[in-house]
């Protein structure tokens, strides 16, 4: 049984977090159904998901740094997360729900900061190459063009102005959350470009509607793939 890898993306303030929790509960509640056939659910996030990657998260979110340094750190955190958590879980046949993955690097470091996309693509290929890790592990996991990619990516979309208003009421902003609306407009267009380049993997969710409607759209997208 191959695992299922679902990532959740969107600009800060798009409101994805509560839906990830709800989806984890839905998978947990239906773990005896035929579709999810007793799969365990692994709920994780990026940057983060391991002790080392969480330390890198602190630096990435709070320390000022050069753009290449930032890109290297997000991929270093990701590699560790893949090796320690994501790949073993998928090889066991688990469902991995990951709050952000590589699309965030293309959207934030690439489109938001204007960092070179070709370098990001090279980093993506080496960090997500599982053949270097273990041929046995790689044989148990679905790879796309030789690298690990989510099976499904739910992209939560809200107008950047709306997201900014939501963030203004939230906690103390980190390095990214304190960027201006123009930055988030670029990030949103970076996400839209990634979605257009891989329409099979992405489902775009309108995050600017009631919580119930967003939740229904999330459940429908996952059920349409036969995962729930
Ligand atoms: P979160 O607050 O949704 O957990 O996301 C953490 C922040 O890190 C968010 O502002 C986006 C940013 N980020 C990047 O800049 N690049 C990445 O590759 C990832 C995964 C997150």
């Amino acid at each position: 049984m191959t695992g299922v890898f679902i990532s959740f993306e969107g600009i800060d303030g798009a409101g994805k977090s509560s839906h990830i929790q709800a989806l984890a509960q839905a998978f947990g509640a239906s773990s005896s159904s035929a579709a999810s056939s007793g799969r365990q659910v692994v709920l994780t996030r990026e940057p983060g998901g391991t002790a080392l990657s969480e330390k890198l998260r602190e630096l990435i979110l709070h320390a000022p740094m050069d753009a290449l340094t930032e890109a290297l750190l997000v991929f270093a955190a990701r590699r560790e997360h893949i090796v320690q958590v994501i790949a073993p879980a998928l090889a066991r046949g688990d469902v991995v729900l990951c709050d952000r993955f590589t699309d965030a690097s293309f959207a934030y470091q690439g489109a938001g900061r204007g960092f070179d996309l070709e370098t990001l693509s090279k980093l993506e290929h080496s960090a997500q190459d599982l053949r270097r890790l273990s041929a046995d592990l790689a044989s148990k996991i679905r790879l796309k063009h030789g690298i690990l990619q989510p099976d499904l990516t739910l992209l939560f979309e809200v107008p950047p102005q709306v997201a900014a208003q939501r963030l203004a009421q939230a906690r103390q902003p980190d390095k990214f959350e304190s960027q201006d609306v123009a930055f988030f407009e670029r990030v949103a267009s970076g996400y839209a470009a990634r979605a257009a380049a891989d329409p099979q993997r992405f489902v775009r969710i309108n995050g600017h509607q009631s919580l119930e409607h967003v939740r229904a759209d999330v459940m429908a997208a996952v059920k349409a793939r036969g995962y729930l």
Side-chain angles (χ1 to χ4, degrees):
M1 182 169 68
T2 334
V4 177
F5 183 15
I6 305 178
S7 64
F8 301 79
E9 300 282 0
I11 62 173
D12 290 276
K16 59 188 162 46
S17 300
S18 57
H19 298 291
I20 303 175
Q21 292 287 346
L23 190 57
Q25 277 168 14
F27 270 111
S30 74
S31 65
S32 56
S33 79
S36 47
S37 52
R39 294 176 187 279
Q40 296 297 309
V41 181
V42 175
L43 193 55
T44 188
R45 69 172 180 180
E46 289 211 347
T50 75
L52 174 59
S53 307
E54 289 291 333
K55 285 185 188 164
L56 293 174
R57 177 188 174 94
E58 274 308 299
L59 294 172
I60 295 162
L61 263 53
H62 301 290
M65 63 184 75
D66 161 75
L68 175 58
T69 310
E70 187 177 279
L72 291 170
L73 287 184
V74 293
F75 277 100
R78 177 162 303 129
R79 175 71 184 178
E80 198 59 21
H81 190 207
I82 290 170
V83 170
Q84 301 290 343
V85 176
I86 301 178
L90 293 175
R92 286 193 303 268
D94 295 353
V95 175
V96 176
L97 304 181
C98 192
D99 191 344
R100 299 192 186 281
F101 196 62
T102 306
D103 299 304
S105 309
F106 281 85
Y108 280 78
Q109 280 66 50
R113 296 238 191 271
F115 187 75
D116 171 40
L117 297 183
E118 212 176 300
T119 305
L120 292 178
S121 204
K122 284 184 189 150
L123 291 172
E124 175 183 36
H125 276 81
S126 47
Q128 289 159 230
D129 188 345
L130 296 185
R131 290 165 301 188
R132 290 182 201 171
L133 183 62
S134 139
D136 177 52
L137 202 65
S139 72
K140 293 184 183 143
I141 299 173
R142 253 189 310 274
L143 300 179
K144 226 190 233 174
H145 310 301
I147 64 168
L148 177 69
Q149 288 286 11
D151 297 301
L152 170 65
T153 297
L154 300 176
L155 173 57
F156 291 76
E157 295 185 302
V158 294
Q161 286 287 1
V162 173
Q165 281 160 14
R166 289 181 183 173
L167 284 179
Q169 296 149 13
R171 54 187 164 28
Q172 182 76 6
D174 63 37
K175 215 172 81 185
F176 296 99
E177 289 165 342
S178 53
Q179 296 287 327
D180 60 14
V181 172
F183 176 85
F184 286 109
E185 278 165 358
R186 293 197 297 279
V187 173
S189 66
Y191 272 128
R194 288 284 283 184
D198 197 351
Q200 310 272 34
R201 171 164 69 89
F202 274 86
V203 173
R204 298 169 79 156
I205 304 280
N206 175 6
H208 193 205
Q209 42 176 356
S210 71
L211 273 178
E212 292 69 32
H213 280 100
V214 179
R215 180 189 284 221
D217 287 354
V218 168
M219 295 301 165
V222 176
K223 284 184 179 160
R225 300 289 176 113
Y227 299 147
L228 258 180

